[in-house]
Every structure is written in structure tokens, then in C-alpha cells.
Amino acid sequence: MKPTRVDILEEGARVTNGSRDASYGPPKVNLACSGELKAVFRKHMIRDLSPGELEAIDMVLTKIGRVATSPKPVRDTYVDGATYFAIAGEIALDVS
């Protein structure tokens, strides 16, 4: 019997070595783009963001990186980006 961790690693290898590369471009390029976007965002941030808001913004920037490096538009990228931005707004604006 195979350990669960091996199943997880094999599944990850399957999805990242095929359809995701075709949809989002090479991970090296995509991750470099997202990392640069996040660095610029932090460089120009003038207020402290809560950890939750910052993480949601990071996810938005990850999706923007995918838009920049994907060979064609992927609807899921835009849905995810909008959702994470809404979550960031909810965290930032919820004063309860």
C-alpha cells in the first residue's frame, strides 16, 4: 500500500507537468513574475495590512502573474483573482 504522501506527490507531478504548463506557462516564469509583483507591492505599501488581507492580496498578484505569463486567457484565473480581491476587501473593511 502506497502512503498518502506518495499519491499527493504523484498527482502534483501529473497536473504540473501537463495541463497547468499549457494553461499558465512555465512555473519558473510565472512564479518569477508573481514574485516581482509582490515585491513591488510591498515596496510601495504605505499602510500595515493584516496578515489575512496581505495573503489575499498576494493571491491576487499570483493570479495577475498568471494573466501576464499565460499563453491564452483562463477564466478560472479571473474568477480566482476577483474572489481573492473581494476577500481582501472584506478583511480590510470589516470593522466588527
Side-chain angles (χ1 to χ4, degrees):
M1 179 172 211
K2 230 183 331 183
T4 301
R5 69 181 175 272
V6 173
D7 284 336
I8 290 169
L9 290 168
E10 288 173 349
E11 181 181 346
R14 276 192 310 275
V15 299
T16 59
N17 191 32
S19 64
R20 292 215 178 133
D21 280 358
S23 294
Y24 305 121
K28 182 178 180 179
V29 173
N30 176 261
L31 294 172
C33 180
S34 297
E36 288 183 43
L37 289 168
K38 292 170 189 179
V40 169
F41 181 83
R42 282 170 176 70
K43 179 181 176 183
H44 295 282
M45 234 170 45
I46 62 170
R47 69 173 173 89
D48 289 331
L49 279 66
S50 71
E53 182 186 3
L54 185 57
E55 181 58 26
I57 295 294
D58 277 352
M59 292 305 298
V60 171
L61 294 170
T62 295
K63 302 305 175 177
I64 291 171
R66 282 187 171 179
V67 169
T69 63
S70 295
K72 61 184 178 187
V74 179
R75 180 182 175 86
D76 184 63
T77 299
Y78 294 94
V79 171
D80 284 354
T83 302
Y84 282 116
F85 209 49
I87 291 168
E90 180 176 277
I91 292 169
L93 302 172
D94 185 11
V95 292
S96 60

